[in-house]
Amino acid sequence: MGQYFSLIYAGEPIKLFGREHLTALAIITLFCFSFLYFRKVWGEKEKKVVRWILAVLIVVNESALHVWSVYWGIWNIQTMLPLHMCSVIIWASAYMLVTKNYSIYEMVYFLGLGGAMQAVLTPADAAAYNFPHFRIMQTFIAHGLLIGIAIYMTVVEGFRPTLQSFKRIFVWTNIYMVIIFFLNLAIGSNYLFVAGKPEFPTLLDMLAPWPWYIIELEAIGFAIFFLLYVPFLIKDWKAK
């Protein structure tokens, strides 16, 4: 059992779009599609229970990563502060689930859904591990829940982004990125990967060298936000 919580993993690392990876993606997909059925079944009481369950699950799962990192002596402010976009959204989503805060929903929908989808397709930060090791399990659970929470709030609770949401989140994301850029300089970190490309393989390797890839990320981020908003754009257009 200890091998599944060890820092150094002796087994074969996960193979991108291999059997284990595709199985994890299938489970996340089924989890999200299940909301199409349950939205017709759950009443307000059941919805509240589900929101609390999702909130507790995502908090416990993220807290477990910090406990594991502290145990192995790898926790530090340069890598483990909740400042990466998905880390921020994980904690924010738990608060949103409990309070049904619409402003945070906007963040969870665009940033959580957009970022988490990339993370489950290319789980680079946990690529050295494989199922059922804790590190890879924690990664897929965290990002799978982020995707599920965004879809749950949209499909079951009836929340939806607006054009103003699109503009607001894009602007605030850039403001946050500037703040993190200077924080990185101050503490020697690389949150949001704006100080350089990560050491492990990612999709950023396909982009231009630093700092030019940041401009490319701006374009990619805008495109992802737009694609996530397209279904509602079409819905509004048809309604008119």
Side-chain angles (χ1 to χ4, degrees):
M1 181 63 71
Q3 62 179 317
Y4 300 121
F5 291 92
S6 62
L7 179 62
I8 306 299
Y9 181 62
E12 289 289 326
I14 189 169
K15 183 179 179 181
L16 196 63
F17 300 114
R19 182 183 61 185
E20 294 86 356
H21 188 195
L22 290 176
T23 300
L25 293 177
I27 292 171
I28 293 171
T29 302
L30 289 173
F31 171 62
C32 294
F33 269 98
S34 71
F35 295 135
L36 293 172
Y37 168 77
F38 287 115
R39 68 176 178 174
K40 302 175 183 178
V41 177
W42 289 331
E44 291 303 315
K45 182 179 179 180
E46 290 80 7
K47 290 178 184 178
K48 183 176 181 179
V49 171
V50 171
R51 290 200 310 272
W52 272 95
I53 289 174
L54 291 173
V56 170
L57 283 175
I58 202 165
V59 167
V60 169
N61 183 69
E62 187 69 6
S63 299
L65 174 62
H66 289 272
V67 171
W68 181 81
S69 300
V70 169
Y71 178 84
W72 289 109
I74 60 173
W75 198 101
N76 57 71
I77 64 171
Q78 284 74 32
T79 60
M80 292 302 298
L81 292 178
L83 297 176
H84 278 302
M85 198 59 71
C86 282
S87 297
V88 173
I89 302 303
I90 281 172
W91 297 104
S93 67
Y95 178 79
M96 177 208 64
L97 286 164
V98 174
T99 63
K100 299 181 70 172
N101 184 293
Y102 178 77
S103 296
I104 298 180
Y105 163 78
E106 295 176 323
M107 295 170 52
V108 173
Y109 182 79
F110 285 110
L111 297 173
L113 190 54
M117 288 176 65
Q118 296 176 66
V120 295
L121 290 174
T122 56
D125 58 340
Y129 302 92
N130 203 344
F131 292 100
H133 192 278
F134 162 78
R135 187 66 183 86
I136 196 78
M137 293 281 288
Q138 191 278 332
T139 294
F140 274 91
I141 290 172
H143 295 100
L145 283 173
L146 273 184
I147 295 170
I149 287 169
I151 293 176
Y152 168 83
M153 293 301 295
T154 305
V155 172
V156 180
E157 297 288 348
F159 283 38
R160 57 149 293 175
T162 64
L163 184 58
Q164 291 304 314
S165 304
F166 181 110
K167 297 175 182 177
R168 191 158 40 240
I169 298 303
F170 188 76
V171 169
W172 278 108
T173 299
N174 279 275
I175 292 173
Y176 179 68
M177 185 172 64
V178 171
I179 295 171
I180 293 300
F181 176 81
F182 288 106
L183 177 67
N184 285 335
L185 291 178
I187 67 174
S189 58
N190 190 20
Y191 292 111
L192 302 186
F193 303 128
V194 292
K197 294 182 181 182
E199 296 179 358
F200 46 81
T202 67
L203 293 177
L204 294 182
D205 296 332
M206 302 173 63
L207 304 181
W210 185 90
W212 308 114
Y213 72 82
I214 296 176
I215 299 175
E216 294 176 326
L217 283 177
E218 288 280 328
I220 293 171
F222 185 88
I224 291 173
F225 281 16
F226 179 74
L227 288 174
L228 290 173
Y229 183 64
V230 162
F232 302 97
L233 190 65
I234 295 173
K235 182 180 180 181
D236 292 342
W237 178 74
K238 286 184 176 180
K240 293 180 180 179

